PDB file of all heavy atoms in Angstrom:
ATOM      1  N   ALA A  22      17.184  40.759 -14.198  1.00 88.00           N
ATOM      2  CA  ALA A  22      18.318  40.377 -13.316  1.00 88.00           C
ATOM      3  C   ALA A  22      17.893  39.113 -12.503  1.00 88.00           C
ATOM      4  O   ALA A  22      18.693  38.158 -12.338  1.00 88.00           O
ATOM      5  CB  ALA A  22      18.729  41.522 -12.432  1.00 88.00           C
ATOM      6  N   HIS A  23      16.656  39.090 -12.039  1.00 87.00           N
ATOM      7  CA  HIS A  23      16.218  37.928 -11.194  1.00 87.00           C
ATOM      8  C   HIS A  23      16.204  36.679 -12.044  1.00 87.00           C
ATOM      9  O   HIS A  23      16.676  35.627 -11.583  1.00 87.00           O
ATOM     10  CB  HIS A  23      14.772  38.182 -10.720  1.00 87.00           C
ATOM     11  CG  HIS A  23      14.182  37.127  -9.913  1.00 87.00           C
ATOM     12  ND1 HIS A  23      14.587  36.760  -8.672  1.00 87.00           N
ATOM     13  CD2 HIS A  23      13.246  36.212 -10.357  1.00 87.00           C
ATOM     14  CE1 HIS A  23      13.859  35.663  -8.301  1.00 87.00           C
ATOM     15  NE2 HIS A  23      13.099  35.350  -9.237  1.00 87.00           N
ATOM     16  N   LEU A  24      15.682  36.766 -13.250  1.00 87.00           N
ATOM     17  CA  LEU A  24      15.616  35.640 -14.097  1.00 87.00           C
ATOM     18  C   LEU A  24      17.083  35.138 -14.531  1.00 87.00           C
ATOM     19  O   LEU A  24      17.334  33.999 -14.507  1.00 87.00           O
ATOM     20  CB  LEU A  24      14.803  35.938 -15.400  1.00 87.00           C
ATOM     21  CG  LEU A  24      13.336  36.140 -15.200  1.00 87.00           C
ATOM     22  CD1 LEU A  24      12.704  36.723 -16.441  1.00 87.00           C
ATOM     23  CD2 LEU A  24      12.619  34.927 -14.770  1.00 87.00           C
ATOM     24  N   ARG A  25      17.868  36.095 -14.841  1.00 86.00           N
ATOM     25  CA  ARG A  25      19.285  35.768 -15.277  1.00 86.00           C
ATOM     26  C   ARG A  25      20.018  35.150 -14.108  1.00 86.00           C
ATOM     27  O   ARG A  25      20.697  34.151 -14.349  1.00 86.00           O
ATOM     28  CB  ARG A  25      19.938  37.136 -15.695  1.00 86.00           C
ATOM     29  CG  ARG A  25      21.429  36.885 -16.127  1.00 86.00           C
ATOM     30  CD  ARG A  25      22.142  38.258 -16.072  1.00 86.00           C
ATOM     31  NE  ARG A  25      22.199  38.821 -14.667  1.00 86.00           N
ATOM     32  CZ  ARG A  25      22.203  40.069 -14.412  1.00 86.00           C
ATOM     33  NH1 ARG A  25      22.159  40.976 -15.349  1.00 86.00           N
ATOM     34  NH2 ARG A  25      22.232  40.452 -13.157  1.00 86.00           N
ATOM     35  N   ASP A  26      19.972  35.723 -12.864  1.00 81.00           N
ATOM     36  CA  ASP A  26      20.683  35.223 -11.740  1.00 81.00           C
ATOM     37  C   ASP A  26      20.180  33.795 -11.255  1.00 81.00           C
ATOM     38  O   ASP A  26      20.896  33.148 -10.495  1.00 81.00           O
ATOM     39  CB  ASP A  26      20.598  36.213 -10.619  1.00 81.00           C
ATOM     40  CG  ASP A  26      21.392  37.540 -10.967  1.00 81.00           C
ATOM     41  OD1 ASP A  26      22.146  37.502 -11.897  1.00 81.00           O
ATOM     42  OD2 ASP A  26      21.098  38.510 -10.264  1.00 81.00           O
ATOM     43  N   ASN A  27      18.957  33.483 -11.648  1.00 76.00           N
ATOM     44  CA  ASN A  27      18.463  32.195 -11.312  1.00 76.00           C
ATOM     45  C   ASN A  27      18.571  31.196 -12.517  1.00 76.00           C
ATOM     46  O   ASN A  27      17.800  30.177 -12.577  1.00 76.00           O
ATOM     47  CB  ASN A  27      16.988  32.265 -10.903  1.00 76.00           C
ATOM     48  CG  ASN A  27      16.879  32.875  -9.499  1.00 76.00           C
ATOM     49  OD1 ASN A  27      16.956  32.150  -8.510  1.00 76.00           O
ATOM     50  ND2 ASN A  27      16.740  34.211  -9.376  1.00 76.00           N
ATOM     51  N   ASN A  28      19.435  31.500 -13.448  1.00 72.00           N
ATOM     52  CA  ASN A  28      19.832  30.637 -14.599  1.00 72.00           C
ATOM     53  C   ASN A  28      18.635  30.445 -15.494  1.00 72.00           C
ATOM     54  O   ASN A  28      18.566  29.401 -16.291  1.00 72.00           O
ATOM     55  CB  ASN A  28      20.321  29.276 -14.078  1.00 72.00           C
ATOM     56  CG  ASN A  28      21.595  29.413 -13.362  1.00 72.00           C
ATOM     57  OD1 ASN A  28      22.497  30.161 -13.727  1.00 72.00           O
ATOM     58  ND2 ASN A  28      21.781  28.732 -12.264  1.00 72.00           N
ATOM     59  N   LEU A  29      17.658  31.359 -15.517  1.00 81.00           N
ATOM     60  CA  LEU A  29      16.538  31.286 -16.478  1.00 81.00           C
ATOM     61  C   LEU A  29      16.950  32.166 -17.645  1.00 81.00           C
ATOM     62  O   LEU A  29      16.259  33.179 -17.946  1.00 81.00           O
ATOM     63  CB  LEU A  29      15.254  31.710 -15.857  1.00 81.00           C
ATOM     64  CG  LEU A  29      14.775  30.833 -14.630  1.00 81.00           C
ATOM     65  CD1 LEU A  29      13.663  31.470 -13.873  1.00 81.00           C
ATOM     66  CD2 LEU A  29      14.457  29.433 -15.128  1.00 81.00           C
ATOM     67  N   THR A  30      17.952  31.753 -18.342  1.00 83.00           N
ATOM     68  CA  THR A  30      18.561  32.686 -19.353  1.00 83.00           C
ATOM     69  C   THR A  30      17.627  32.932 -20.447  1.00 83.00           C
ATOM     70  O   THR A  30      17.514  34.067 -21.007  1.00 83.00           O
ATOM     71  CB  THR A  30      19.907  32.008 -19.929  1.00 83.00           C
ATOM     72  OG1 THR A  30      20.691  31.663 -18.810  1.00 83.00           O
ATOM     73  CG2 THR A  30      20.574  32.918 -20.863  1.00 83.00           C
ATOM     74  N   GLN A  31      16.911  31.874 -21.041  1.00 82.00           N
ATOM     75  CA  GLN A  31      15.956  32.096 -22.114  1.00 82.00           C
ATOM     76  C   GLN A  31      14.889  33.072 -21.762  1.00 82.00           C
ATOM     77  O   GLN A  31      14.553  33.981 -22.547  1.00 82.00           O
ATOM     78  CB  GLN A  31      15.393  30.741 -22.495  1.00 82.00           C
ATOM     79  CG  GLN A  31      14.506  30.867 -23.833  1.00 82.00           C
ATOM     80  CD  GLN A  31      14.065  29.496 -24.296  1.00 82.00           C
ATOM     81  OE1 GLN A  31      14.435  28.522 -23.720  1.00 82.00           O
ATOM     82  NE2 GLN A  31      13.260  29.514 -25.348  1.00 82.00           N
ATOM     83  N   ALA A  32      14.336  32.975 -20.582  1.00 85.00           N
ATOM     84  CA  ALA A  32      13.294  33.934 -20.107  1.00 85.00           C
ATOM     85  C   ALA A  32      13.817  35.275 -19.938  1.00 85.00           C
ATOM     86  O   ALA A  32      13.188  36.281 -20.311  1.00 85.00           O
ATOM     87  CB  ALA A  32      12.618  33.412 -18.802  1.00 85.00           C
ATOM     88  N   ALA A  33      15.084  35.382 -19.420  1.00 86.00           N
ATOM     89  CA  ALA A  33      15.696  36.703 -19.119  1.00 86.00           C
ATOM     90  C   ALA A  33      15.923  37.399 -20.467  1.00 86.00           C
ATOM     91  O   ALA A  33      15.750  38.625 -20.616  1.00 86.00           O
ATOM     92  CB  ALA A  33      16.995  36.517 -18.350  1.00 86.00           C
ATOM     93  N   THR A  34      16.394  36.678 -21.423  1.00 88.00           N
ATOM     94  CA  THR A  34      16.715  37.174 -22.808  1.00 88.00           C
ATOM     95  C   THR A  34      15.354  37.723 -23.378  1.00 88.00           C
ATOM     96  O   THR A  34      15.396  38.767 -24.053  1.00 88.00           O
ATOM     97  CB  THR A  34      17.348  36.133 -23.640  1.00 88.00           C
ATOM     98  OG1 THR A  34      18.573  35.727 -23.016  1.00 88.00           O
ATOM     99  CG2 THR A  34      17.682  36.736 -25.027  1.00 88.00           C
ATOM    100  N   ALA A  35      14.324  36.922 -23.259  1.00 86.00           N
ATOM    101  CA  ALA A  35      13.038  37.331 -23.884  1.00 86.00           C
ATOM    102  C   ALA A  35      12.542  38.632 -23.280  1.00 86.00           C
ATOM    103  O   ALA A  35      12.082  39.531 -23.972  1.00 86.00           O
ATOM    104  CB  ALA A  35      12.016  36.242 -23.749  1.00 86.00           C
ATOM    105  N   VAL A  36      12.610  38.736 -21.945  1.00 87.00           N
ATOM    106  CA  VAL A  36      12.127  39.956 -21.295  1.00 87.00           C
ATOM    107  C   VAL A  36      13.053  41.117 -21.624  1.00 87.00           C
ATOM    108  O   VAL A  36      12.641  42.241 -21.923  1.00 87.00           O
ATOM    109  CB  VAL A  36      12.080  39.800 -19.772  1.00 87.00           C
ATOM    110  CG1 VAL A  36      11.712  41.081 -19.086  1.00 87.00           C
ATOM    111  CG2 VAL A  36      11.027  38.689 -19.485  1.00 87.00           C
ATOM    112  N   ALA A  37      14.337  40.903 -21.662  1.00 84.00           N
ATOM    113  CA  ALA A  37      15.311  42.025 -21.962  1.00 84.00           C
ATOM    114  C   ALA A  37      15.050  42.514 -23.349  1.00 84.00           C
ATOM    115  O   ALA A  37      15.054  43.669 -23.640  1.00 84.00           O
ATOM    116  CB  ALA A  37      16.710  41.493 -21.827  1.00 84.00           C
ATOM    117  N   THR A  38      14.817  41.586 -24.290  1.00 82.00           N
ATOM    118  CA  THR A  38      14.567  41.969 -25.626  1.00 82.00           C
ATOM    119  C   THR A  38      13.174  42.758 -25.818  1.00 82.00           C
ATOM    120  O   THR A  38      13.161  43.806 -26.487  1.00 82.00           O
ATOM    121  CB  THR A  38      14.485  40.726 -26.605  1.00 82.00           C
ATOM    122  OG1 THR A  38      15.677  40.021 -26.492  1.00 82.00           O
ATOM    123  CG2 THR A  38      14.173  41.175 -28.096  1.00 82.00           C
ATOM    124  N   ALA A  39      12.204  42.291 -25.134  1.00 78.00           N
ATOM    125  CA  ALA A  39      10.852  42.911 -25.252  1.00 78.00           C
ATOM    126  C   ALA A  39      10.848  44.339 -24.645  1.00 78.00           C
ATOM    127  O   ALA A  39      10.108  45.189 -25.086  1.00 78.00           O
ATOM    128  CB  ALA A  39       9.778  42.016 -24.615  1.00 78.00           C
ATOM    129  N   THR A  40      11.637  44.550 -23.584  1.00 77.00           N
ATOM    130  CA  THR A  40      11.608  45.779 -22.873  1.00 77.00           C
ATOM    131  C   THR A  40      12.796  46.683 -23.110  1.00 77.00           C
ATOM    132  O   THR A  40      12.926  47.789 -22.509  1.00 77.00           O
ATOM    133  CB  THR A  40      11.493  45.473 -21.330  1.00 77.00           C
ATOM    134  OG1 THR A  40      12.703  44.780 -20.935  1.00 77.00           O
ATOM    135  CG2 THR A  40      10.256  44.722 -20.972  1.00 77.00           C
ATOM    136  N   MET A  41      13.717  46.241 -23.994  1.00 78.00           N
ATOM    137  CA  MET A  41      14.941  46.967 -24.347  1.00 78.00           C
ATOM    138  C   MET A  41      15.758  47.244 -23.062  1.00 78.00           C
ATOM    139  O   MET A  41      16.365  48.332 -22.906  1.00 78.00           O
ATOM    140  CB  MET A  41      14.596  48.258 -25.127  1.00 78.00           C
ATOM    141  CG  MET A  41      14.079  47.998 -26.509  1.00 78.00           C
ATOM    142  SD  MET A  41      13.798  49.548 -27.388  1.00 78.00           S
ATOM    143  CE  MET A  41      12.498  50.329 -26.533  1.00 78.00           C
ATOM    144  N   THR A  42      15.838  46.240 -22.213  1.00 85.00           N
ATOM    145  CA  THR A  42      16.633  46.296 -21.074  1.00 85.00           C
ATOM    146  C   THR A  42      17.973  45.508 -21.238  1.00 85.00           C
ATOM    147  O   THR A  42      17.929  44.404 -21.743  1.00 85.00           O
ATOM    148  CB  THR A  42      15.839  45.684 -19.793  1.00 85.00           C
ATOM    149  OG1 THR A  42      14.700  46.312 -19.616  1.00 85.00           O
ATOM    150  CG2 THR A  42      16.730  45.779 -18.525  1.00 85.00           C
ATOM    151  N   PRO A  43      19.098  46.054 -20.939  1.00 87.00           N
ATOM    152  CA  PRO A  43      20.373  45.293 -21.066  1.00 87.00           C
ATOM    153  C   PRO A  43      20.369  44.050 -20.299  1.00 87.00           C
ATOM    154  O   PRO A  43      19.947  43.994 -19.090  1.00 87.00           O
ATOM    155  CB  PRO A  43      21.438  46.287 -20.527  1.00 87.00           C
ATOM    156  CG  PRO A  43      20.773  47.651 -20.621  1.00 87.00           C
ATOM    157  CD  PRO A  43      19.369  47.385 -20.384  1.00 87.00           C
TER     158      PRO A  43
END
Side-chain angles (χ1 to χ4, degrees):
H23 175 76
L24 293 172
R25 181 200 63 209
D26 295 342
N27 285 274
N28 296 319
L29 299 172
T30 307
Q31 186 174 355
T34 303
V36 175
T38 299
T40 61
M41 291 187 291
T42 302

